[in-house]
């Protein structure tokens, strides 16, 4: 029996075909139309419908490149099921190179949205109705905020034996953070509907970080293989299993000043260890930024200028910290070229 065509935003994609669809969003002041552009790859055989999306925050461009490379992968030519790929969700923010929408709202706090609400609410409702509700699985691509970088990591709400846990373990990021759901986020909306969803966090806003992009593409393909959407085996050598963090917290600037970092992204640190020194421009006053726990640095500020109380180092805590350190070292050694940007 032939597989049915796939329907999206009033368009029909036959089995074995792929199509780019422009979903109208709004108009600029100039009356120029804006669209969320979607590419649908509809396999000949039945299978899951996976949504891979980037740019919900408009300045997080690593995800845009991950989606581009995914769509050019030879692996998806033999796809089972359907891939919905959206490189840029927040087209307003992408144009302005900013995280937010023109009204300063965060699109990832606007779900499920409303057709009669704010601009963010209307875009969230459109994206949800036309695209998200079609998916059986979701991978949402993010980076650190402006002037902050993240070690490649998966964030998800995990329960033992769940489909979400299965996807997270398959991805191959060195760290998995069992993260609470934030109301209004795409992840929160999807989880409440029973759709397993991963958030991949890696790199920095407004930057192309190859050490974040290439593993992101490989991770998505691993998940698709685990879901039996792709044929063939992963050719690259296997990585050490990712470690699940049991919590995380930020080390903050003790005073206003200029930060001199002492540790790198991905480093193992001990409770009380000095992570950096904040000093005024003359060096008359200095304050130590100390780790509040044993753990791994999974995020850090890239901007030396710091205000008192500002979050500078994100430390994840693990029950088995040696295994976490091994997983990160295995991940770093798998990158070509070597991950200089992590240091």
């Amino acid at each position: 029996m032939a597989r049915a065509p796939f329907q999206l935003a009033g368009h029909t994609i036959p089995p074995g075909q792929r199509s780019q669809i422009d979903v109208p969003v709004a108009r600029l002041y100039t009356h120029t139309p804006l669209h969320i552009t979607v590419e649908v790859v509809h396999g000949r055989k039945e299978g899951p419908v996976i949504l891979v999306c980037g740019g919900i925050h408009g300045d997080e461009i690593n995800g845009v490149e991950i989606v581009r490379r995914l769509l050019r992968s030879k692996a998806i030519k033999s796809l089972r099921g359907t891939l919905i790929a959206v490189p840029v969700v927040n087209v307003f923010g992408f144009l302005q190179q900013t995280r937010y929408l023109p009204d300063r709202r965060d699109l990832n706090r606007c779900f499920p949205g409303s057709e009669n609400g704010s601009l963010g609410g209307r875009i969230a409702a459109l994206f949800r109705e036309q695209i998200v509700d079609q998916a059986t699985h979701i991978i949402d691509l993010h980076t650190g905020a402006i002037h902050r970088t993240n070690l490649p990591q998966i964030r998800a709400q995990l329960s033992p034996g769940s489909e979400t846990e299965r996807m997270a373990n398959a991805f191959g990021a060195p760290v998995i953070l069992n993260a609470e759901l934030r109301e209004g986020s795409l992840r929160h909306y999807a989880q409440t509907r029973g759709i397993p969803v991963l958030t991949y966090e890696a790199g920095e806003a407004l930057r192309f970080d190859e050490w974040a992009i290439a593993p992101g593409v490989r991770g998505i393909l691993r998940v698709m293989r685990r879901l039996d959407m792709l044929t063939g085996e992963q050719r690259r050598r296997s990585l050490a299993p990712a470690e699940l963090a049991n919590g995380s917290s930020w080390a903050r600037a003790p005073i206003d000043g200029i930060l001199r970092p002492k540790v790198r992204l991905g480093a193992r640190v001990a409770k009380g260890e000095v992570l950096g020194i904040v000093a005024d421009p003359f060096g008359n006053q200095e304050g130590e930024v100390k780790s509040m726990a044993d753990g791994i640095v999974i995020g850090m500020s890239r901007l030396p200028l710091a205000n008192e109380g500002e979050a500078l180092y994100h430390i994840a805590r693990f029950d088995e910290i040696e295994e976490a350190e091994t997983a990160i070292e295995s991940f770093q050694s798998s990158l070509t070229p070597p991950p200089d940007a992590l240091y």
Side-chain angles (χ1 to χ4, degrees):
M1 183 176 177
R3 190 183 186 201
F6 189 77
Q7 306 288 334
L8 190 142
H11 295 258
T12 301
I13 303 93
Q17 300 293 318
R18 59 195 293 172
S19 179
Q20 283 188 7
I21 299 166
D22 289 334
V23 181
V25 175
R27 292 182 181 271
L28 299 176
Y29 304 128
T30 60
H31 205 61
T32 303
L34 284 182
H35 304 88
I36 295 176
T37 302
V38 183
E39 183 155 339
V40 176
V41 184
H42 190 44
R44 295 185 183 277
K45 297 182 179 180
E46 294 290 339
V49 178
I50 188 167
L51 167 63
V52 181
C53 59
I56 283 185
H57 294 134
D59 60 355
E60 297 182 0
I61 64 175
N62 278 334
V64 181
E65 177 64 6
I66 289 172
V67 173
R68 186 192 72 81
R69 295 189 194 182
L70 175 66
L71 288 170
R72 280 160 176 74
S73 171
K74 294 179 181 179
I76 66 171
K77 291 183 178 180
S78 57
L79 180 72
R80 295 190 186 101
T82 305
L83 167 64
I84 306 174
V86 186
V88 183
V89 179
N90 181 359
V91 289
F92 280 102
F94 188 70
L95 285 171
Q96 298 297 321
Q97 302 174 26
T98 179
R99 177 184 182 91
Y100 301 107
L101 293 161
D103 60 1
R104 295 297 297 167
R105 280 185 168 85
D106 183 336
L107 181 57
N108 208 31
R109 298 294 180 270
C110 293
F111 287 92
S114 168
E115 294 178 356
N116 300 313
S118 65
L119 175 61
R122 293 175 190 226
I123 295 175
L126 173 73
F127 186 59
R128 168 180 56 81
E129 293 169 0
Q130 298 290 341
I131 299 169
V132 175
D133 287 348
Q134 302 265 31
T136 61
H137 300 74
I138 298 174
I139 300 177
D140 185 21
L141 306 171
H142 287 263
T143 76
I146 191 74
H147 303 311
R148 287 185 184 172
T149 188
N150 282 332
L151 183 78
Q153 60 197 261
I154 289 294
R155 298 183 185 180
Q157 187 179 55
L158 304 175
S159 56
S162 67
E163 184 81 332
T164 303
E165 183 184 60
R166 195 162 70 106
M167 291 170 63
N169 288 331
F171 195 97
V175 171
I176 300 172
L177 193 60
N178 193 0
E180 294 182 0
L181 298 174
R182 292 191 176 183
E183 189 171 353
S185 67
L186 172 61
R187 191 162 64 89
H188 181 271
Y189 170 74
Q191 288 284 154
T192 58
R193 284 182 54 84
I195 303 172
V197 55
L198 302 182
T199 296
Y200 175 61
E201 288 269 1
E204 183 180 355
L206 295 177
R207 296 287 184 272
F208 269 0
D209 300 302
E210 183 61 27
W211 52 268
I213 294 167
V217 179
R218 293 197 295 268
I220 294 168
L221 294 175
R222 286 192 189 97
V223 171
M224 294 176 74
R225 286 190 179 91
R226 181 64 62 88
L227 297 175
D228 295 323
M229 298 182 71
L230 302 177
T231 58
E233 297 294 328
Q234 184 74 22
R235 294 181 180 178
R236 291 180 175 266
R237 68 178 179 84
S238 59
L239 301 173
E243 283 299 313
L244 177 64
N246 59 30
S248 68
S249 53
W250 283 90
R252 299 180 179 275
I255 61 172
D256 303 301
I258 301 170
L259 172 67
R260 304 195 308 277
K262 298 292 185 182
V263 298
R264 59 177 175 83
L265 190 65
R268 176 179 175 177
V269 296
K271 183 177 181 179
E273 181 176 343
V274 176
L275 309 176
I277 305 292
V278 179
D280 66 56
F282 298 97
N284 295 326
Q285 185 180 17
E286 291 191 348
E288 296 178 335
V289 185
K290 294 184 178 181
S291 177
M292 72 302 297
D294 297 340
I296 301 288
V297 179
I298 63 168
M300 61 183 292
S301 174
R302 287 293 195 197
L303 184 66
L305 310 180
N307 293 307
E308 183 177 348
E310 188 170 348
L312 299 179
Y313 294 92
H314 193 191
I315 310 298
R317 302 183 297 276
F318 300 86
D319 291 330
E320 303 293 340
I321 194 167
E322 288 81 8
E323 283 78 359
E325 187 176 29
T326 298
I328 291 168
E329 289 174 350
S330 173
F331 170 81
Q332 292 176 352
S333 65
S334 73
L335 300 179
T336 304
D340 294 333
L342 292 180
Y343 292 87

